[in-house]
mmCIF file of all heavy atoms in Angstrom:
data_model
loop_
_atom_site.group_PDB
_atom_site.id
_atom_site.type_symbol
_atom_site.label_atom_id
_atom_site.label_comp_id
_atom_site.label_asym_id
_atom_site.label_seq_id
_atom_site.Cartn_x
_atom_site.Cartn_y
_atom_site.Cartn_z
ATOM 1 N N GLU A 243 2.264 16.096 -0.005
ATOM 2 C CA GLU A 243 2.121 17.548 0.190
ATOM 3 C C GLU A 243 1.413 18.229 -0.979
ATOM 4 O O GLU A 243 1.214 19.457 -0.965
ATOM 5 C CB GLU A 243 3.494 18.195 0.406
ATOM 6 C CG GLU A 243 4.431 18.145 -0.787
ATOM 7 C CD GLU A 243 5.349 16.942 -0.780
ATOM 8 O OE1 GLU A 243 4.972 15.906 -0.180
ATOM 9 O OE2 GLU A 243 6.451 17.026 -1.359
ATOM 10 N N ASP A 244 1.015 17.476 -1.982
ATOM 11 C CA ASP A 244 0.423 18.060 -3.184
ATOM 12 C C ASP A 244 -1.059 18.398 -3.013
ATOM 13 O O ASP A 244 -1.791 17.727 -2.277
ATOM 14 C CB ASP A 244 0.549 17.098 -4.371
ATOM 15 C CG ASP A 244 1.958 17.018 -4.909
ATOM 16 O OD1 ASP A 244 2.709 17.994 -4.751
ATOM 17 O OD2 ASP A 244 2.309 15.976 -5.499
ATOM 18 N N THR A 245 -1.470 19.427 -3.744
ATOM 19 C CA THR A 245 -2.880 19.714 -3.984
ATOM 20 C C THR A 245 -3.162 19.326 -5.430
ATOM 21 O O THR A 245 -2.541 19.862 -6.346
ATOM 22 C CB THR A 245 -3.211 21.199 -3.773
ATOM 23 O OG1 THR A 245 -3.023 21.536 -2.388
ATOM 24 C CG2 THR A 245 -4.648 21.507 -4.173
ATOM 25 N N VAL A 246 -4.063 18.388 -5.626
ATOM 26 C CA VAL A 246 -4.431 17.945 -6.974
ATOM 27 C C VAL A 246 -5.687 18.702 -7.400
ATOM 28 O O VAL A 246 -6.696 18.690 -6.701
ATOM 29 C CB VAL A 246 -4.683 16.431 -7.022
ATOM 30 C CG1 VAL A 246 -5.199 16.020 -8.405
ATOM 31 C CG2 VAL A 246 -3.401 15.672 -6.681
ATOM 32 N N ILE A 247 -5.609 19.364 -8.561
ATOM 33 C CA ILE A 247 -6.757 20.072 -9.118
ATOM 34 C C ILE A 247 -7.163 19.365 -10.400
ATOM 35 O O ILE A 247 -6.394 19.311 -11.363
ATOM 36 C CB ILE A 247 -6.425 21.545 -9.412
ATOM 37 C CG1 ILE A 247 -5.955 22.261 -8.136
ATOM 38 C CG2 ILE A 247 -7.638 22.261 -10.005
ATOM 39 C CD1 ILE A 247 -5.469 23.681 -8.373
ATOM 40 N N ILE A 248 -8.363 18.805 -10.410
ATOM 41 C CA ILE A 248 -8.893 18.126 -11.595
ATOM 42 C C ILE A 248 -9.800 19.107 -12.321
ATOM 43 O O ILE A 248 -10.827 19.522 -11.792
ATOM 44 C CB ILE A 248 -9.665 16.855 -11.216
ATOM 45 C CG1 ILE A 248 -8.751 15.906 -10.435
ATOM 46 C CG2 ILE A 248 -10.210 16.174 -12.472
ATOM 47 C CD1 ILE A 248 -9.471 14.699 -9.866
ATOM 48 N N ALA A 249 -9.407 19.486 -13.530
ATOM 49 C CA ALA A 249 -10.152 20.481 -14.298
ATOM 50 C C ALA A 249 -11.059 19.797 -15.310
ATOM 51 O O ALA A 249 -10.597 19.061 -16.184
ATOM 52 C CB ALA A 249 -9.178 21.432 -15.018
ATOM 53 N N ASP A 250 -12.360 20.042 -15.177
ATOM 54 C CA ASP A 250 -13.357 19.514 -16.107
ATOM 55 C C ASP A 250 -14.519 20.499 -16.115
ATOM 56 O O ASP A 250 -15.135 20.719 -15.068
ATOM 57 C CB ASP A 250 -13.829 18.126 -15.673
ATOM 58 C CG ASP A 250 -14.639 17.417 -16.754
ATOM 59 O OD1 ASP A 250 -14.746 17.961 -17.864
ATOM 60 O OD2 ASP A 250 -15.159 16.324 -16.476
ATOM 61 N N PRO A 251 -14.814 21.130 -17.254
ATOM 62 C CA PRO A 251 -15.801 22.219 -17.259
ATOM 63 C C PRO A 251 -17.171 21.851 -16.727
ATOM 64 O O PRO A 251 -17.797 22.630 -16.021
ATOM 65 C CB PRO A 251 -15.878 22.623 -18.737
ATOM 66 C CG PRO A 251 -14.574 22.222 -19.309
ATOM 67 C CD PRO A 251 -14.187 20.974 -18.575
ATOM 68 N N MET A 252 -17.669 20.631 -17.058
ATOM 69 C CA MET A 252 -19.045 20.287 -16.732
ATOM 70 C C MET A 252 -19.105 19.102 -15.770
ATOM 71 O O MET A 252 -18.631 18.012 -16.086
ATOM 72 C CB MET A 252 -19.822 19.952 -18.003
ATOM 73 C CG MET A 252 -19.676 20.985 -19.123
ATOM 74 S SD MET A 252 -20.287 22.614 -18.657
ATOM 75 C CE MET A 252 -22.040 22.364 -18.857
ATOM 76 N N ILE A 253 -19.676 19.320 -14.604
ATOM 77 C CA ILE A 253 -19.905 18.243 -13.639
ATOM 78 C C ILE A 253 -21.382 17.895 -13.756
ATOM 79 O O ILE A 253 -22.231 18.486 -13.097
ATOM 80 C CB ILE A 253 -19.540 18.679 -12.211
ATOM 81 C CG1 ILE A 253 -18.101 19.215 -12.171
ATOM 82 C CG2 ILE A 253 -19.706 17.519 -11.244
ATOM 83 C CD1 ILE A 253 -17.718 19.847 -10.859
ATOM 84 N N ALA A 254 -21.683 16.963 -14.637
ATOM 85 C CA ALA A 254 -23.083 16.649 -14.968
ATOM 86 C C ALA A 254 -23.547 15.434 -14.171
ATOM 87 O O ALA A 254 -23.968 15.561 -13.035
ATOM 88 C CB ALA A 254 -23.224 16.443 -16.473
ATOM 89 N N THR A 255 -23.427 14.237 -14.750
ATOM 90 C CA THR A 255 -23.814 13.030 -14.014
ATOM 91 C C THR A 255 -22.788 12.653 -12.953
ATOM 92 O O THR A 255 -23.080 11.906 -12.028
ATOM 93 C CB THR A 255 -23.982 11.838 -14.965
ATOM 94 O OG1 THR A 255 -22.706 11.522 -15.544
ATOM 95 C CG2 THR A 255 -24.985 12.162 -16.069
ATOM 96 N N GLY A 256 -21.555 13.155 -13.119
ATOM 97 C CA GLY A 256 -20.468 12.787 -12.214
ATOM 98 C C GLY A 256 -19.736 11.526 -12.639
ATOM 99 O O GLY A 256 -18.703 11.188 -12.054
ATOM 100 N N SER A 257 -20.226 10.830 -13.671
ATOM 101 C CA SER A 257 -19.641 9.550 -14.081
ATOM 102 C C SER A 257 -18.173 9.681 -14.473
ATOM 103 O O SER A 257 -17.331 8.888 -14.046
ATOM 104 C CB SER A 257 -20.441 8.969 -15.249
ATOM 105 O OG SER A 257 -21.784 8.771 -14.900
ATOM 106 N N THR A 258 -17.866 10.685 -15.308
ATOM 107 C CA THR A 258 -16.493 10.859 -15.774
ATOM 108 C C THR A 258 -15.557 11.162 -14.618
ATOM 109 O O THR A 258 -14.486 10.548 -14.472
ATOM 110 C CB THR A 258 -16.425 11.985 -16.812
ATOM 111 O OG1 THR A 258 -17.236 11.650 -17.935
ATOM 112 C CG2 THR A 258 -14.991 12.219 -17.274
ATOM 113 N N LEU A 259 -15.946 12.086 -13.765
ATOM 114 C CA LEU A 259 -15.054 12.499 -12.684
ATOM 115 C C LEU A 259 -14.857 11.401 -11.648
ATOM 116 O O LEU A 259 -13.770 11.292 -11.061
ATOM 117 C CB LEU A 259 -15.593 13.771 -12.023
ATOM 118 C CG LEU A 259 -15.318 15.032 -12.835
ATOM 119 C CD1 LEU A 259 -16.172 16.189 -12.380
ATOM 120 C CD2 LEU A 259 -13.833 15.404 -12.742
ATOM 121 N N ILE A 260 -15.842 10.578 -11.427
ATOM 122 C CA ILE A 260 -15.661 9.455 -10.511
ATOM 123 C C ILE A 260 -14.583 8.506 -11.035
ATOM 124 O O ILE A 260 -13.706 8.056 -10.281
ATOM 125 C CB ILE A 260 -16.998 8.716 -10.294
ATOM 126 C CG1 ILE A 260 -17.897 9.552 -9.371
ATOM 127 C CG2 ILE A 260 -16.773 7.329 -9.683
ATOM 128 C CD1 ILE A 260 -19.308 9.032 -9.239
ATOM 129 N N GLU A 261 -14.595 8.235 -12.338
ATOM 130 C CA GLU A 261 -13.560 7.374 -12.919
ATOM 131 C C GLU A 261 -12.190 8.040 -12.849
ATOM 132 O O GLU A 261 -11.179 7.383 -12.572
ATOM 133 C CB GLU A 261 -13.913 7.025 -14.364
ATOM 134 C CG GLU A 261 -15.135 6.145 -14.515
ATOM 135 C CD GLU A 261 -14.983 4.813 -13.798
ATOM 136 O OE1 GLU A 261 -13.868 4.250 -13.818
ATOM 137 O OE2 GLU A 261 -15.967 4.346 -13.199
ATOM 138 N N VAL A 262 -12.144 9.347 -13.115
ATOM 139 C CA VAL A 262 -10.870 10.072 -13.033
ATOM 140 C C VAL A 262 -10.346 10.067 -11.601
ATOM 141 O O VAL A 262 -9.149 9.853 -11.359
ATOM 142 C CB VAL A 262 -11.036 11.510 -13.558
ATOM 143 C CG1 VAL A 262 -9.755 12.315 -13.318
ATOM 144 C CG2 VAL A 262 -11.382 11.506 -15.039
ATOM 145 N N LEU A 263 -11.216 10.283 -10.637
ATOM 146 C CA LEU A 263 -10.798 10.281 -9.232
ATOM 147 C C LEU A 263 -10.259 8.908 -8.828
ATOM 148 O O LEU A 263 -9.276 8.828 -8.081
ATOM 149 C CB LEU A 263 -11.972 10.680 -8.339
ATOM 150 C CG LEU A 263 -12.310 12.174 -8.345
ATOM 151 C CD1 LEU A 263 -13.713 12.421 -7.800
ATOM 152 C CD2 LEU A 263 -11.282 12.952 -7.526
ATOM 153 N N ARG A 264 -10.866 7.856 -9.305
ATOM 154 C CA ARG A 264 -10.346 6.517 -9.009
ATOM 155 C C ARG A 264 -8.935 6.338 -9.556
ATOM 156 O O ARG A 264 -8.070 5.732 -8.904
ATOM 157 C CB ARG A 264 -11.280 5.452 -9.589
ATOM 158 C CG ARG A 264 -12.610 5.335 -8.852
ATOM 159 C CD ARG A 264 -13.579 4.430 -9.594
ATOM 160 N NE ARG A 264 -14.856 4.305 -8.899
ATOM 161 C CZ ARG A 264 -15.963 3.826 -9.443
ATOM 162 N NH1 ARG A 264 -15.945 3.400 -10.710
ATOM 163 N NH2 ARG A 264 -17.084 3.753 -8.746
ATOM 164 N N GLU A 265 -8.692 6.868 -10.752
ATOM 165 C CA GLU A 265 -7.340 6.788 -11.332
ATOM 166 C C GLU A 265 -6.348 7.608 -10.524
ATOM 167 O O GLU A 265 -5.235 7.164 -10.244
ATOM 168 C CB GLU A 265 -7.369 7.265 -12.781
ATOM 169 C CG GLU A 265 -7.961 6.289 -13.762
ATOM 170 C CD GLU A 265 -7.102 5.035 -13.914
ATOM 171 O OE1 GLU A 265 -5.867 5.125 -13.734
ATOM 172 O OE2 GLU A 265 -7.672 3.977 -14.199
ATOM 173 N N VAL A 266 -6.741 8.816 -10.145
ATOM 174 C CA VAL A 266 -5.845 9.699 -9.394
ATOM 175 C C VAL A 266 -5.396 9.023 -8.098
ATOM 176 O O VAL A 266 -4.219 9.111 -7.704
ATOM 177 C CB VAL A 266 -6.539 11.046 -9.098
ATOM 178 C CG1 VAL A 266 -5.761 11.845 -8.052
ATOM 179 C CG2 VAL A 266 -6.677 11.857 -10.379
ATOM 180 N N LYS A 267 -6.297 8.321 -7.450
ATOM 181 C CA LYS A 267 -5.981 7.663 -6.178
ATOM 182 C C LYS A 267 -4.886 6.607 -6.352
ATOM 183 O O LYS A 267 -4.200 6.254 -5.380
ATOM 184 C CB LYS A 267 -7.241 7.004 -5.619
ATOM 185 C CG LYS A 267 -8.322 7.976 -5.178
ATOM 186 C CD LYS A 267 -8.015 8.548 -3.818
ATOM 187 C CE LYS A 267 -9.189 9.314 -3.257
ATOM 188 N NZ LYS A 267 -8.947 9.789 -1.879
ATOM 189 N N ARG A 268 -4.704 6.106 -7.555
ATOM 190 C CA ARG A 268 -3.682 5.080 -7.803
ATOM 191 C C ARG A 268 -2.273 5.664 -7.800
ATOM 192 O O ARG A 268 -1.293 4.925 -7.722
ATOM 193 C CB ARG A 268 -3.940 4.391 -9.136
ATOM 194 C CG ARG A 268 -5.281 3.682 -9.222
ATOM 195 C CD ARG A 268 -5.516 3.100 -10.595
ATOM 196 N NE ARG A 268 -4.533 2.086 -10.934
ATOM 197 C CZ ARG A 268 -4.471 1.451 -12.086
ATOM 198 N NH1 ARG A 268 -5.343 1.738 -13.036
ATOM 199 N NH2 ARG A 268 -3.550 0.542 -12.319
#
């Protein structure tokens, strides 16, 4: 039932957030 909000000021190449999203899915 949760809404997950990932806060990161700059979405540049997307590399960092892709790795974070993979972790969140775990």
Side-chain angles (χ1 to χ4, degrees):
E243 66 267 26
D244 286 334
T245 295
V246 174
I247 302 174
I248 302 173
D250 192 5
M252 311 299 281
I253 306 172
T255 65
S257 301
T258 299
L259 282 164
I260 285 172
E261 293 301 322
V262 173
L263 284 162
R264 289 171 180 165
E265 284 293 331
V266 167
K267 292 280 190 175
R268 299 176 63 183

